[in-house]
Amino acid sequence: MAKIGFLGAGNMGNGMALRLLEAGHTVQVYNRTQSKLAPLVGRGAIAKNSAREAAESAEAIFAMVGDDIASQAVWLGDEGALAATNSSNKPLIIECSTLSHSWVMELSRNVADRGLQYIDCPVTGLPEAALSGALTLFLGGSKSVISMAQDYLRPISSKQIHFGEIGAGTAYKLVVNLMGSIQIAATAEALLVAERAGLDLNMVAEALGTGGSGSPQVANNSKLMVAGDHETNVVFSSNWRLKDTRYGVDFAGQLGQASLLGTVAQELFQRLVDAGFADSAESKIIDVLRVQSDK
């Protein structure tokens, strides 16, 4: 089995690192908030004080962090993971975070300049899927490198989709997340119309989630919107939804494709975050639309 460096022990990273441990790998893990490492250390992971330390002597290095800034922090600089690479330590770099396309391409070039292989590997699935090894991987990179990485990728995934070269996995992730943001905003608007029409909102949520316009986003968020509970067991916060929407809109713009609906969704999530609900569930967007309708 291999020695793996793992950067990030949040809701998703924790489960992914645990799966690698259960597969028999040695996992050296770093997280900015050290207290979050306790559950993994209890299962055999080795806590490290920096990303560089976590990368020492590793055969593969995973990252699962929140955004471009966090990714830059764990990879670059004197204490970043890439500082641990040298002629005798050439780990495979596997970046699983949802990041901007421009940063993914810059990071991959930095990795290539060091003579290392890079896999563009954003994931989809809830924390429960991370814990059970049931994530879907959106892959970009060389087929041969991805094949070589299967001892690391199989333990965390039940499905893998190879979209093309480096950057293609992130391109798809940004597209599908932008679509999700639009769906969430549209669901909120639909429920408010149904509410004014006097319909049973629990029945509406059930019908929306299973009907022709249904999707996991619609099904999950419509129920949360009807319940009005946006603070308990938050799986995906408004702040992260705003980040993903912004990255998606920016990527579309870089390609010369205006994202009209995405821009509206971004504005709505921005209002939600600006109102002090960054840590609330993304479903709370319904309250932004409700206030707007009442004006």
Side-chain angles (χ1 to χ4, degrees), residues 175-185 217 241 269:
V175 167
V176 75
N177 278 18
L178 184 58
M179 185 175 177
S181 300
I182 294 166
Q183 288 180 316
I184 294 168
Q217 287 287 15
R241 176 56 62 179
F269 282 110

Side-chain angles (χ1 to χ4, degrees), residues 28-264:
Q28 301 178 154
V29 62
Y30 166 75
N31 192 69
R32 182 176 59 182
T33 305
Q34 289 283 297
S35 60
K36 290 186 177 181
L37 299 179
L40 289 172
V41 171
R43 300 294 292 272
I46 303 168
K48 296 294 183 177
N49 293 317
S50 70
R52 179 173 182 165
E53 288 185 13
E56 291 288 351
S57 303
E59 295 170 53
I61 308 171
F62 282 82
M64 187 59 173
V65 296
D67 56 18
D68 286 5
I69 295 173
S71 178
Q72 291 162 11
V74 297
W75 288 116
L76 304 182
D78 292 342
E79 294 302 313
L82 292 181
T85 64
N86 51 50
S87 58
S88 61
N89 181 34
K90 289 186 171 293
L92 177 61
I93 305 301
I94 306 173
E95 177 54 271
C96 298
S97 317
T98 301
L99 306 169
S100 72
H101 192 268
S102 57
W103 166 240
V104 164
M105 299 310 295
E106 181 181 341
L107 175 60
S108 67
R109 288 190 292 269
N110 197 315
V111 168
D113 287 345
R114 293 171 180 267
L116 308 176
Q117 299 286 356
Y118 182 96
I119 296 180
D120 177 25
C121 185
V123 309
T124 190
L126 298 174
E128 290 80 4
L131 278 169
S132 62
L135 295 172
T136 296
L137 311 184
F138 301 142
L139 296 165
S142 162
K143 286 184 178 180
S144 61
V145 174
I146 290 170
S147 177
M148 180 179 66
Q150 287 304 311
D151 283 348
Y152 316 131
L153 300 181
R154 284 197 190 101
I156 67 172
S157 64
S158 59
K159 185 176 182 179
Q160 300 178 23
I161 308 175
H162 183 208
F163 282 95
E165 296 305 310
I166 292 170
T170 288
Y172 176 75
K173 183 66 190 295
L174 295 178
V175 167
V176 75
N177 278 18
L178 184 58
M179 185 175 177
S181 300
I182 294 166
Q183 288 180 316
I184 294 168
T187 300
E189 185 173 80
L191 285 171
L192 289 175
V193 173
E195 184 177 67
R196 293 201 175 205
L199 301 181
D200 182 320
L201 292 188
N202 286 300
M203 190 176 296
V204 169
E206 181 65 27
L208 285 175
T210 58
S213 60
S215 71
Q217 287 287 15
V218 172
N220 293 335
N221 281 285
S222 60
K223 292 175 182 177
L224 290 173
M225 289 173 186
V226 171
D229 183 3
H230 313 291
E231 312 299 334
T232 304
N233 298 321
V234 175
V235 174
F236 203 73
S237 72
S238 300
N239 187 54
W240 295 129
R241 176 56 62 179
L242 172 61
K243 180 267 296 187
D244 284 359
T245 311
R246 184 175 68 252
Y247 286 171
V249 169
D250 288 350
F251 181 51
Q254 290 163 16
L255 298 174
Q257 175 62 55
S259 180
L260 303 180
L261 298 178
T263 298
V264 172

